[in-house]
Amino acid sequence: MSVSVRRNDYGRWKNFCKFVKPKNIPDDTFLFEYSLFFISTLYDLNEAHPDIKIVKELYPTCKKQMDITLGMFDENGKLIVDEDYPVFVDWSNEFNTAGQAETIYVLKQFIELAKLAEDEELAKYEEALELISFYAKNQLYNEEKKLFVTTGNEYSKDAQGKYQAKSTDTGCLTIHDLPW
């Protein structure tokens, strides 16, 4: 089975079809990470092959997706998971920690793209990063256990922990080495 994605009218990337025998079966699953990783991919492309023209051409799509993503956070910086837009890493909508970490990771990349694109709203995204990071540090992290919680006193699932540990080189939420 293989998966392809496309963007719908709302800026969300979705699983477009599953290739199964004997014919394709369309799917309408929206996944939180797929949309964010468009931003990450543009950032990585520009890091490897700097091209301001490509950044400026694709930046409006990235900005639209980041605005959609930031609309999923409450006034305290907590991700409120949309039932129709699950966080794939946890394969559940019952936690928000992995989605919170993914957003912080990608928002840092997006801010760098916003600087290149000379976005006049840059401060809005920097403030969002500060708020979302503050929430994660103060509400999702257990200093005593050195773990991020999912809900209540449950601790990070393996997938989330691996994702966060993998993100240490960019200063995202990590299990072993907090950047703040």
Side-chain angles (χ1 to χ4, degrees):
M1 177 171 74
S2 120
V3 179
S4 61
V5 294
R6 71 176 171 88
R7 190 170 65 103
N8 73 359
D9 294 338
Y10 303 105
R12 292 179 174 180
W13 289 81
K14 71 182 218 175
N15 184 0
F16 183 59
C17 50
K18 296 177 188 173
F19 298 97
V20 295
K21 294 180 181 178
K23 62 182 183 174
N24 296 344
I25 301 172
D27 188 4
D28 63 354
T29 304
F30 292 95
L31 297 173
F32 185 79
E33 293 89 337
Y34 282 32
S35 300
L36 289 175
F37 290 154
F38 180 82
I39 297 167
S40 243
T41 301
L42 179 58
Y43 175 84
D44 290 345
L45 173 65
N46 190 65
E47 286 291 300
H49 305 284
D51 188 334
I52 193 66
K53 183 178 176 185
I54 290 175
V55 169
K56 288 187 174 186
E57 181 179 337
L58 297 177
Y59 179 76
T61 301
C62 293
K63 182 174 179 169
K64 183 174 183 180
Q65 183 54 50
M66 186 52 68
D67 289 340
I68 290 168
T69 300
L70 294 178
M72 296 179 190
F73 286 81
D74 70 13
E75 66 279 353
N76 298 313
K78 176 184 179 182
L79 176 62
I80 307 300
V81 181
D82 183 332
E83 288 300 315
D84 295 326
Y85 210 27
V87 175
F88 181 76
V89 171
D90 281 327
W91 203 247
S92 173
N93 284 352
E94 294 182 28
F95 339 113
N96 61 9
T97 310
Q100 192 98 12
E102 291 169 326
T103 301
I104 291 168
Y105 175 82
V106 176
L107 185 50
K108 288 179 178 184
Q109 294 175 325
F110 175 81
I111 287 170
E112 293 307 311
L113 294 172
K115 290 175 184 175
L116 293 172
E118 300 173 338
D119 190 332
E120 294 177 0
E121 295 184 302
L122 176 63
K124 172 178 103 170
Y125 300 107
E126 291 172 330
E127 290 168 11
L129 176 61
E130 188 174 320
L131 178 68
I132 293 167
S133 297
F134 182 84
Y135 180 86
K137 289 187 300 189
N138 294 288
Q139 300 298 319
L140 299 177
Y141 188 71
N142 180 306
E143 183 66 38
E144 180 183 319
K145 300 271 187 183
K146 305 288 187 213
L147 292 171
F148 287 90
V149 297
T150 51
T151 56
N153 286 324
E154 297 174 19
Y155 292 96
S156 306
K157 292 173 60 179
D158 287 340
Q160 175 210 343
K162 288 175 187 168
Y163 183 88
Q164 290 178 342
K166 179 181 148 216
S167 301
T168 58
D169 62 325
T170 60
C172 186
L173 295 177
T174 65
I175 287 179
H176 304 291
D177 181 26
L178 291 174
W180 38 74

